[in-house]
């Protein structure tokens, strides 16, 4: 893991409109920090979850350089191509993505807070998108075992517009771990996909013994 922020180059774009949208979704690459490894295999299933409900139980995937795992809906799979995240997963039809950076506080400067880390991620994506706007201002939701701080933005890259959901994940019992999740979705599907993305970040847990 490196504690030095690094700008990540954007992903390639496709020729067809469907693949162009997929390329936008995959080009989460506005994030500036690359803490660790990025490869992994995953399984595919069926379904994408139901709007307004927590997703059906599907695969569980873990970050590469840490003991944190997430529950995904059926059909989601790990991106096996090169990417900057410690975990990146895509929905069955690649209309949604979840990318996760994991940091250890001991690798960050003493005065470098988790909130500042979230701000840097957002600012870096803002510099790489046109018409970057706030859809949902920063909010914090504390549960029994973790605190989630999240915000939602929209932005344009070329001819395509995307929605971007940032979530800072902090564990009460494991304060040395800090995670930043960046999730993307297509604006026309946001009402359907928002609860699915929320459920994914809410499912974050530190593996027993981790």
């Amino acid at each position: 893991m490196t504690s030095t922020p690094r700008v990540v180059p954007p992903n390639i774009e496709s020729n067809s409109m469907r693949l162009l949208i997929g390329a936008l979704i995959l080009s989460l690459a506005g994030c500036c920090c690359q803490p660790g490894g990025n490869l992994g295999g995953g399984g595919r299933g069926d379904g994408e979850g139901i709007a307004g409900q927590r997703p059906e139980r599907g695969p569980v995937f873990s970050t590469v350089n840490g003991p944190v795992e997430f529950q995904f809906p059926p059909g989601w799979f790990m991106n096996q191509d090169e990417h900057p995240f410690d975990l990146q997963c895509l929905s069955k039809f690649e209309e949604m993505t979840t990318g996760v950076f994991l940091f250890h506080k001991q690798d960050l400067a003493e005065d470098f807070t988790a909130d500042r880390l979230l701000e840097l991620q957002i600012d870096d994506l803002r510099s790489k998108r046109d018409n970057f706007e706030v859809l949902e201002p920063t909010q914090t939701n504390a549960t029994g075992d973790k605190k989630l701080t999240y915000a939602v933005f929209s932005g344009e890259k070329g001819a395509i517009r995307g929605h971007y959901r940032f979530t800072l994940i902090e564990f009460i019992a494991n304060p040395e771990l800090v995670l930043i999740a960046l999730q993307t979705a297509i604006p026309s599907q946001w009402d359907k996909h928002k609860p699915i993305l929320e459920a994914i970040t809410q499912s974050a847990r530190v593996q027993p013994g981790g």
Side-chain angles (χ1 to χ4, degrees):
M1 169 178 169
T2 176
S3 59
T4 303
R6 185 175 78 82
V7 174
V8 179
N11 240 331
I12 59 173
E13 299 184 16
S14 177
N15 292 326
S16 72
M17 180 57 69
R18 181 175 180 277
L19 292 181
L20 181 60
I21 293 175
L24 169 74
I25 295 299
L26 280 173
S27 85
L28 301 177
C31 288
C32 64
C33 298
Q34 180 177 352
N38 50 40
L39 299 180
R44 297 174 184 257
D46 295 317
E48 298 241 351
I50 301 173
Q53 300 182 13
R54 292 182 65 85
E56 299 175 45
R57 293 183 66 83
V60 174
F61 297 122
S62 302
T63 55
V64 172
N65 71 338
V68 181
E69 63 184 24
F70 294 80
Q71 178 86 50
F72 290 88
W76 282 65
F77 60 97
M78 288 180 70
N79 182 9
Q80 300 186 58
D81 296 328
E82 183 177 356
H83 59 77
F85 300 96
D86 292 295
L87 173 67
Q88 187 186 44
C89 296
L90 293 77
S91 62
K92 182 177 180 180
F93 299 110
E94 302 184 10
E95 295 177 326
M96 295 176 281
T97 70
T98 293
V100 179
F101 291 120
L102 185 148
F103 299 89
H104 295 265
K105 283 189 176 179
Q106 65 184 10
D107 296 320
L108 301 175
E110 186 174 352
D111 60 348
F112 197 80
T113 66
D115 289 337
R116 179 56 181 152
L117 190 61
L118 176 61
E119 291 174 5
L120 283 178
Q121 297 285 8
I122 295 171
D123 288 344
D124 189 71
L125 183 61
R126 179 183 288 111
S127 72
K128 293 175 171 61
R129 294 294 182 269
D130 296 321
N131 297 319
F132 196 76
E133 302 173 348
V134 177
L135 292 182
E136 297 180 21
T138 302
Q139 304 176 57
T140 298
N141 178 24
T143 64
D145 63 340
K146 57 183 171 286
K147 183 175 74 171
L148 304 178
T149 302
Y150 58 91
V152 181
F153 303 85
S154 66
E156 298 172 1
K157 182 179 181 182
I160 303 299
R161 189 168 188 81
H163 283 183
Y164 304 89
R165 183 175 189 267
F166 288 87
T167 305
L168 166 64
I169 304 173
E170 300 172 275
F171 296 99
I172 305 302
N174 300 89
E176 74 280 2
L177 300 177
V178 178
L179 291 89
I180 301 287
L182 171 55
Q183 300 171 293
T184 65
I186 300 169
S188 62
Q189 299 295 313
W190 180 244
D191 289 343
K192 173 184 176 182
H193 292 163
K194 176 183 175 180
I196 299 173
L197 299 178
E198 290 177 341
I200 291 171
T201 52
Q202 290 168 358
S203 76
R205 66 186 292 264
V206 178
Q207 298 169 352

